[in-house]
């Protein structure tokens, strides 16, 4: 008896664990299990998490998203924990087809942390917010003892308004839709790993705000933009798997169509990591109606952050809940949901 | 030459420090200085911080507040870090005269933290949110290495809608207004300190949601409710000083009118702490038009959490920016803004 490569997947390790693991925070299968079995049932939340929720306030749909940032090191080529905390949340709000309008900024700082570093990180966050056209409207600062926060942790929560004509949800992919990506993948994860390991690669994180590009995409195609996900923790592998599951469809991608920068590929070779599992912080996956794909790609490519936008695959009604990739050799492999433990504290 | 007790205040220690101090996180003068001199100017924020901001989303005023919770121990009589994280943010939203409608819940958890404790804290947060009538709509979980988060830190951000007829702001106090407090003071801070020190006092934190009582107060008096502040970090001393400064008025209170439970007074005696500096987490200060005071007190007393509501003083047009207390002996003392270092990690 042979194993069908399209249904086989590596077994999840025993995760009826009694302790939280680093991998529970990596946005992969371990986190999904924690959400499905522990947190979700208690909160009563939909386990198919979107990047952001939509809340009715005085009859208006308000988009809300929250993220904490614990990246180490605090500084990496192309950004720092301050700019990342802004871009990450701005993008999560935008991924619901929304215009982010306000951010909260909450610090947990360690006693003895240099005030100069706090000022520098704050300035970086403020600059990133101004660049995205989003106001930082309120905040909080807590201080814990030395050793209690690895310097600084940051939470940002974003508030946004739905763009006119946008109907964007992780469950919106239809068979036949085109799968697009806004640029080369894996740059954030690789840049942070290189900074952490002291590798002298010429590589910058892609960390940037995607909200303006999203507005242009919605303007170009309206409700034909079905799904938007920024490929953060777990990389494009995680977001493609999540949207396949949420939409009840299959995703078939052409592996050679996914742009992986040489430096990212080199770091992945050294560390034994799949580039599809590496986090991006300024690169999104879009699922759009087939007739709208060219217009959306044109809108993306008109922006610097979408210059490298390209089509990587198609939504299918086979292999539901799975992501398959056609390799350069013509074989088909499963693009699995990352387990989660490889790259802790990448954001 | 004698010193006028109404203008003298203890000098602030050198705070052009190059490192963050525990006191910077305690909501007192050190934090105010950090906000005024470092964070505020960079963000471009109003240094007179309200408990919550009001943001225009599609033309609707949305109230937003964020807080991180690092309380130690995680469990204390009357609550835990999960319920506290909900009550604290629900109350901050309510203090703008708003009805909280949604919360985000973001965890930073340490590797090795028991999943059972995570579930218990999540259940406590969910129960507190249900009790307040507020939905937890989205969240985040990050995991850091052992020792990196003292078990768990929680950020909550609250979203609310302004109550019809409410015009509540820290700058709204007018001379002649009545100063009310919703119950006895210092219970949260004293309960946490007792738990931390292992004192066997029969004392529970006042941690609870105040949003329903606030709705009843606004229903009773509308725009005659001028200021609402929950007396968290820094206690009633901090909030009275903040509102005196923000409104450009003086506050004169009758010290003996402020209810201090015997157990709170006993702990303050042991630790050498002013009960007016002790945090509350379910007790608010209200400044209301004089003619509305009785109606507001009636509305407060009709709720269990406001049963002990009473009048403690009056807003003046003298001693602007200062809080003075008439002592039991008939003397007048300054109620100073706490410096901030006495009670770290109380919330």
């Amino acid at each position: 008896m042979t194993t069908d490569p399209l249904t086989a997947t590596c077994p999840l390790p025993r995760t009826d664990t009694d302790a939280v693991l680093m991998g529970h925070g990596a946005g992969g299968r371990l986190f999904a299990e924690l959400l499905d079995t522990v947190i979700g049932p208690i909160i009563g939340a939909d386990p198919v998490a979107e990047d952001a929720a939509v809340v009715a306030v005085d009859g208006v749909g308000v988009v809300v998203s929250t993220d904490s940032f614990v990246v180490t090191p605090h500084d990496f080529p192309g950004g720092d924990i301050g700019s990342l905390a802004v871009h990450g949340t701005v993008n999560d709000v935008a991924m619901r087809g929304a215009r982010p309008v306000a951010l909260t900024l909450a610090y947990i700082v360690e006693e003895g942390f240099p005030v100069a570093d706090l000022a520098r990180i704050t300035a970086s966050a403020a600059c990133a917010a101004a660049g995205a056209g989003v106001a930082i409207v309120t905040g909080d600062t807590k201080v814990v003892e030395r050793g209690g926060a690895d310097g600084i942790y940051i939470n940002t929560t974003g508030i946004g308004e739905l763009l006119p004509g946008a109907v964007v949800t992780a469950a919106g992919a239809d068979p036949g839709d085109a799968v697009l990506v806004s640029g080369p993948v894996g740059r954030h994860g690789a840049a942070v790993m290189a900074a952490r390991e002291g590798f002298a690669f010429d590589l910058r994180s892609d960390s940037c705000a995607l909200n303006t590009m999203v507005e242009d995409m919605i303007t170009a195609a309206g409700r034909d933009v079905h799904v938007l996900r920024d490929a953060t923790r777990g990389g494009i592998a995680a977001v493609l798997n999540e949207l396949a599951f949420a939409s009840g469809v299959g995703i078939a991608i052409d592996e050679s169509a996914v742009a992986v920068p040489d430096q990212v590929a080199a770091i992945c070779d050294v560390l034994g990591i799949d580039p599809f599992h590496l986090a991006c912080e300024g690169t999104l996956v879009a699922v759009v109606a087939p007739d709208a794909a060219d217009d959306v790609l044109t809108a993306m490519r008109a922006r610097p952050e979408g210059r490298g936008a390209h089509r990587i695959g198609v939504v299918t009604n086979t292999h539901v809940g799975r992501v398959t990739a056609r390799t350069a050799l013509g074989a088909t492999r499963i693009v699995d949901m990352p387990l989660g433990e490889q790259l802790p504290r990448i954001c």
Side-chain angles (χ1 to χ4, degrees), chain A residues 137-185:
Chain A
V137 295
T138 190
D140 180 50
T141 301
K142 292 291 190 306
V143 182
V144 296
E145 293 82 359
R146 279 173 206 277
D150 205 0
I152 187 168
Y153 300 144
I154 304 180
N155 177 280
T156 50
T157 301
I159 308 295
E161 55 197 13
L162 289 164
L163 292 166
V167 184
V168 180
T169 158
D174 291 325
D177 282 355
V179 180
L180 316 177
V181 66
S182 66
V185 304

Side-chain angles (χ1 to χ4, degrees), chain A residues 4-264:
Chain A
D4 177 356
L6 295 185
T7 57
T9 181
C10 66
L12 206 62
R14 275 181 59 85
T15 51
D16 53 342
T17 171
D18 59 356
V20 172
L21 307 174
M22 289 302 293
H24 280 124
R29 288 161 62 203
L30 281 169
F31 170 67
E33 193 193 57
L34 186 71
L35 191 64
D36 288 354
T37 62
V38 179
I39 297 175
I42 296 171
I43 299 292
D46 183 352
V48 181
E50 304 270 0
D51 282 337
V54 182
V55 177
V57 177
D58 273 336
V60 165
V62 175
V63 178
V64 185
S65 185
T66 192
D67 250 328
S68 297
F69 295 83
V70 300
V71 64
T72 179
H74 294 148
D75 295 274
F76 47 82
D80 60 43
I81 192 171
S83 57
L84 183 65
V86 169
H87 294 151
T89 294
V90 161
N91 291 347
D92 279 348
V93 171
M95 294 307 125
R96 283 306 290 267
R99 177 188 296 122
V101 297
L103 281 178
T104 64
L105 180 68
Y107 292 147
I108 298 174
V109 191
E110 189 176 306
E111 185 185 13
F113 190 70
V115 169
D117 287 355
L118 186 65
R120 185 177 51 78
I121 288 167
T122 303
S124 176
C127 177
V134 179
I136 296 173
V137 295
T138 190
D140 180 50
T141 301
K142 292 291 190 306
V143 182
V144 296
E145 293 82 359
R146 279 173 206 277
D150 205 0
I152 187 168
Y153 300 144
I154 304 180
N155 177 280
T156 50
T157 301
I159 308 295
E161 55 197 13
L162 289 164
L163 292 166
V167 184
V168 180
T169 158
D174 291 325
D177 282 355
V179 180
L180 316 177
V181 66
S182 66
V185 304
R187 289 173 288 168
H188 177 71
V192 171
M193 292 307 288
R196 203 181 288 175
E197 304 291 338
F199 296 157
F201 282 100
D202 177 24
L203 180 68
R204 290 167 62 83
S205 167
D206 59 341
S207 178
C208 73
L210 297 170
N211 53 316
T212 303
M213 184 174 74
V214 166
E215 286 198 39
D216 293 349
M217 294 164 69
I218 299 292
T219 300
R223 62 195 305 133
D224 283 344
V225 178
H226 294 164
V227 186
L228 295 171
R229 297 301 294 264
D230 57 337
T232 57
R233 285 183 289 180
I236 62 164
V239 299
L240 290 173
N241 271 281
E242 285 167 6
L243 76 89
F245 180 79
S247 295
V249 297
I251 308 273
I253 66 170
D254 177 359
E255 194 173 72
S256 61
V258 180
V260 179
D262 289 346
Q263 302 278 24
V264 172

Side-chain angles (χ1 to χ4, degrees), chain A residues 253-316:
Chain A
I253 66 170
D254 177 359
E255 194 173 72
S256 61
V258 180
V260 179
D262 289 346
Q263 302 278 24
V264 172
I267 286 173
C268 285
D269 279 349
V270 170
L271 299 176
I273 293 171
D274 183 341
F276 290 7
H277 289 180
L278 272 180
C280 313
E281 290 288 351
T283 303
L284 63 77
V285 168
V287 176
V288 304
D291 292 348
D294 288 338
D295 288 346
V296 174
L297 280 171
T298 300
M300 293 165 86
R301 288 173 182 152
R303 297 278 317 170
E305 62 274 25
R307 203 173 45 220
H310 53 288
R311 189 187 306 239
I312 61 169
V314 67
V315 176
T316 68

